[in-house]
Amino acid sequence: MRLVDGSAWAPLAARVFRALWIAQLVSNTGTWMQTVGAQWLLVGHGAALVTLVQTASSLPGVLLALPSGVLADRYDRRRVLLAAQFALLAVSTALAVLAFRNALTPGLLLALTFLLGCGTALMGPAWQAVQPELVEREQLGQAAALGAVNMNLARAVGPALGGAVVAAAGTGWVFAFNALSYLGITAVLMLWRRPVTRRSTARGEGLPAAVQAGRRYVRHAPGVRRVLLRTALFIPGGAALWSLLPLVASRSLGLGPGGYGLLLGVVGIGAVGGAFVLPAIRRGLGANGTIAAGTVVFAGVLALLATVRVPWLAAVALLPAGLAWIGVLSTLNAAVQQRLPGWVRARGLAVYLVVFQGGQALTAPLWGALADGLGLTASLLTGSGLLVAGALSVRRRPLHTMDGVDPSPSDHWPAPPLVFEPGPADGPVLVTVTYRVAPENWAAFTDRMAHVARSRRRTGALTWGLYQDGGAPGRFVENYLVASWSEHLAQHHSRLTATDRRFEEQARRLLVEGTAPEVAHAFDAAAGPVVTARTSPEPDKPAPRSTTSSRHSRCGSA
C-alpha cells in the first residue's frame, strides 16, 4: 500500500513511528490477552468483581496522570517511557509466576492489575506527547486513528487468542505472553536517538507548581476544555460495553472464554475496517458530525445487545461498535493534541487521560452494581440512553474550530529592560503594560484583550486585570502577577505560541498610531527595596548582577 500524505496510513512512512506502532501492536495484544484472563478468572465471583478489573486498570490513570505528565514535560520522554516499560515487565512477570503456582487470589489479581495500570499511567502522557515528534502536525489525525487501529487490531486478535489459551492451557500462559510483549517497545525505545529538546518548565519549578501550571493552562484554554467536555459525555455510556460484555457473553449468550474473546475480536475487526473509511467520514461529516454519528451508532449497539440472545447476531451488532469507538476517540485525541503547545503537552494530555480513564474507572463498578440490581437489559439500555443524550448535545456544545490555532512556539517578547538581574526565585513579579487607544477603538480593544487575558493566564499569570484611566480615558493599563522571575522568563522564551502572538497583534492594531505599549516589571518590596543605592547603577555604567539576599527572594503581598 502506497503511503500517500492524505491516506490513513501515511504516518507509517516515518521510521520510528512505524517501529513503535508494530511493537505497540504486540504489546497491546498481550494486554488484551491479560484482560481476558483476568476477567474470566473472576466471572464466577459476581458482576461487581468482574467490572473491578476495568476499575483497577483505569483508576491509576486518574490518580497518576498529572504527575506523569509533569515527568514527561520535565524529563526526557524516551527515558520516562523506558522506565514505564521496565515496571510493566516486572509486574506482569510476577502475575504470571503467581498464576503458574495457583497462588492468585481475586484480591491479589486486582492489586497486580492496579500496578499494571500504574505503569500504563506513567507511560500514557509521555507516549501521547511524543507523537508530534514522530509525524508532521498535519498527520496527527491519522496518527491518532492509527493508534486506535493498533488497539483495536490487538482487540481483534488478543481476546480470541487469550480465550483460546485460557481454555487450552490456563491463565498463566496468557500472563506470561503479556510479560514478553513489553520487550519489543523497550528495544525500539533503546535504539531511538531522540533529539535533545529545550527544557520546557521554569527553573526550580517543583511538582505541585508544575501540576498547577498544567491545570491552569487547561482551565484557560477553551478549545481544550471543550474536548474534555465531549470526552466526559461519551465515556460513561461507552464504558458500559467494556464493563458488561463479559456478562453478556456468559449470561445472555451462554459463551465461554473463547466466545467472549471472539466477541471482543469482532469489535476490533470493526475498528480496523473503519480505519479505511474514517478519513472519508471525517471529510464528509467534519469532526463534530463524526462524534455525533459515532455516539449514536454506539448507543444502537448497546440497545441491540440488551435484546439479542443469539451469539452470531450479537457479533454482527458489535462490528459497527468498533468503527464508532475509533471514530469518536481518534477525533477527540487529535483535537486535543493539535491544540497543545510543546511546553505543556504531556500535562494537557494527562488531563485528557484523567477524563478518559477516570470515566471508565468510576463508571465500571456502577455498571456492575446496576447489572446485579436491575439486570443486564436495564443496564445496557441505560448506557444507550446516556449516549443518545450526549449525541444530541453536540449541536449545542460542539468542538471549537481549529481556524487560527497554531501552538508552535513564538519567542517574540524582547528582553526585559531592568537595572539589576533578579534571581530565579525572586517574586512575585507584577507586569504592567500601558496602552494608548483612540476613543473609537475602546470597545474593540477591550474585546480583543479578553483573548490576551486567557493567553497571560495560560502561560503563568496568577491574576490579570485591565483598567481604564479615569483622568485620561484613552490610557488603558493591563497588569498581571506572576509567581516568580523564572516563571516570567518562561513566558518570554518557551511558553508563548504563534496564537498568543496573533492575539497580541490584533489588540495592538487598535492603538493610537505611532504609539507602542509601555512595559514595566515590579518586584515585591514589602521586605525592603529590591534595588538600593548600593545596587542601583550609576548613569552610563552597566547594571551589576543582583545579590541573592533573602530580601530579594522573599514572596509577600503584591
Side-chain angles (χ1 to χ4, degrees):
M1 179 181 294
R2 184 169 174 262
L3 302 179
V4 295
D5 288 343
S7 78
W9 311 96
L12 291 176
R15 182 179 58 84
V16 177
F17 180 88
R18 182 173 64 251
L20 283 173
W21 191 90
I22 294 170
Q24 186 191 26
L25 178 60
V26 176
S27 181
N28 284 338
T29 301
T31 299
W32 277 108
M33 292 174 67
Q34 189 270 340
T35 300
V36 169
Q39 288 182 323
W40 207 257
L41 276 178
L42 299 175
V43 162
H45 296 273
L49 207 55
V50 173
T51 56
L52 281 178
V53 173
Q54 184 171 346
T55 300
S57 300
S58 303
L59 186 59
V62 181
L63 303 176
L64 301 178
L66 274 170
S68 299
V70 172
L71 291 176
D73 277 335
R74 289 175 67 93
Y75 302 107
D76 185 345
R77 289 166 184 163
R78 171 181 163 273
R79 294 186 178 183
V80 173
L81 289 170
L82 278 170
Q85 291 301 303
F86 286 126
L88 289 166
L89 176 61
V91 175
S92 56
T93 299
L95 191 60
V97 170
L98 289 171
F100 281 127
R101 293 184 175 182
N102 294 319
L104 201 55
T105 64
L108 195 53
L109 173 61
L110 290 173
L112 290 172
T113 302
F114 180 83
L115 290 178
L116 286 174
C118 292
T120 303
L122 174 62
M123 177 181 175
W127 184 271
Q128 297 281 351
V130 299
Q131 302 304 305
E133 301 177 31
L134 305 178
V135 300
E136 298 295 329
R137 182 168 179 262
E138 294 75 16
Q139 294 181 341
L140 281 175
Q142 293 110 303
L146 282 173
V149 166
N150 192 301
M151 175 62 73
N152 285 281
L153 189 58
R155 182 184 283 128
V157 177
L161 185 58
V165 172
V166 169
T171 55
W173 290 104
V174 169
F175 299 148
F177 180 87
N178 186 42
L180 293 174
S181 71
Y182 295 113
L183 296 177
I185 294 179
T186 303
V188 175
L189 289 172
M190 292 183 73
L191 293 173
W192 178 30
R193 294 295 176 259
R194 179 174 181 255
V196 177
T197 56
R198 181 169 56 185
R199 183 186 176 96
S200 59
T201 54
R203 287 180 58 190
E205 185 180 50
L207 178 62
V211 169
Q212 182 58 29
R215 289 175 176 165
R216 182 173 59 236
Y217 184 92
V218 171
R219 186 165 63 250
H220 297 290
V224 175
R225 290 204 316 271
R226 184 56 55 86
V227 175
L228 299 179
L229 174 63
R230 295 260 43 102
T231 305
L233 291 174
F234 176 74
I235 289 301
L241 178 66
W242 314 118
S243 300
L244 300 176
L245 192 57
L247 303 175
V248 171
S250 61
R251 295 182 184 179
S252 300
L253 304 176
L255 299 175
Y260 168 54
L262 287 173
L263 290 180
L264 283 175
V266 169
V267 180
I269 292 171
V272 173
F276 289 93
V277 299
L278 192 55
I281 292 174
R282 280 210 190 98
R283 285 193 297 269
L285 299 180
N288 289 300
T290 301
I291 291 172
T295 305
V296 169
V297 169
F298 213 82
V301 170
L302 290 181
L304 286 172
L305 290 177
T307 57
V308 167
R309 297 295 179 265
V310 181
W312 71 266
L313 286 178
V316 171
L318 286 169
L319 272 172
L323 169 60
W325 184 262
I326 188 179
V328 173
L329 292 187
S330 65
T331 300
L332 293 171
N333 187 281
V336 73
Q337 291 227 32
Q338 289 171 339
R339 286 171 166 81
L340 291 170
W343 72 271
V344 76
R345 183 179 297 127
R347 279 168 282 182
L349 286 165
V351 176
Y352 167 75
L353 290 173
V354 166
V355 176
F356 173 69
Q357 295 178 337
Q360 295 186 84
L362 297 177
T363 57
L366 297 180
W367 290 123
L370 193 63
D372 279 339
L374 299 179
L376 271 177
T377 298
S379 301
L380 290 166
L381 290 176
T382 301
S384 179
L386 287 176
L387 288 171
V388 170
L392 293 175
S393 71
V394 172
R395 186 178 182 88
R396 293 179 59 86
R397 295 290 186 271
L399 294 181
H400 292 175
T401 177
M402 285 294 297
D403 293 344
V405 176
D406 183 358
S408 58
S410 178
D411 191 359
H412 61 275
W413 283 4
L418 303 182
V419 298
F420 80 110
E421 183 179 334
D426 284 354
V429 181
L430 180 67
V431 183
T432 303
V433 188
T434 304
Y435 306 90
R436 304 284 178 176
V437 185
E440 63 272 17
N441 292 332
W442 289 352
F445 178 76
T446 55
D447 287 342
R448 294 185 181 181
M449 286 299 290
H451 295 289
V452 175
R454 285 194 287 269
S455 168
R456 306 289 198 235
R457 292 181 183 274
R458 280 196 299 268
T459 55
L462 303 176
T463 62
W464 183 90
L466 180 67
Y467 304 89
Q468 188 173 16
D469 192 332
R475 181 175 177 266
F476 285 77
V477 179
E478 173 198 13
N479 64 41
Y480 58 95
L481 192 69
V482 186
S484 67
W485 184 242
S486 66
E487 190 87 358
H488 184 55
L489 289 182
Q491 285 184 307
H492 269 264
H493 301 304
S494 64
R495 293 184 177 177
L496 292 174
T497 68
T499 301
D500 298 321
R501 180 172 187 168
R502 180 172 61 85
F503 288 149
E504 293 176 14
E505 290 174 345
Q506 288 175 345
R508 293 181 183 188
R509 290 192 192 107
L510 301 175
L511 301 186
V512 173
E513 187 175 355
T515 66
E518 301 171 8
V519 184
H521 299 79
F523 293 79
D524 176 40
V530 294
V531 181
T532 66
R534 295 177 62 184
T535 60
S536 179
E538 297 178 14
D540 302 323
K541 289 188 177 181
R545 298 179 65 87
S546 70
T547 64
T548 56
S549 64
S550 60
R551 69 181 181 185
H552 286 174
S553 58
R554 259 186 239 165
C555 291
S557 59

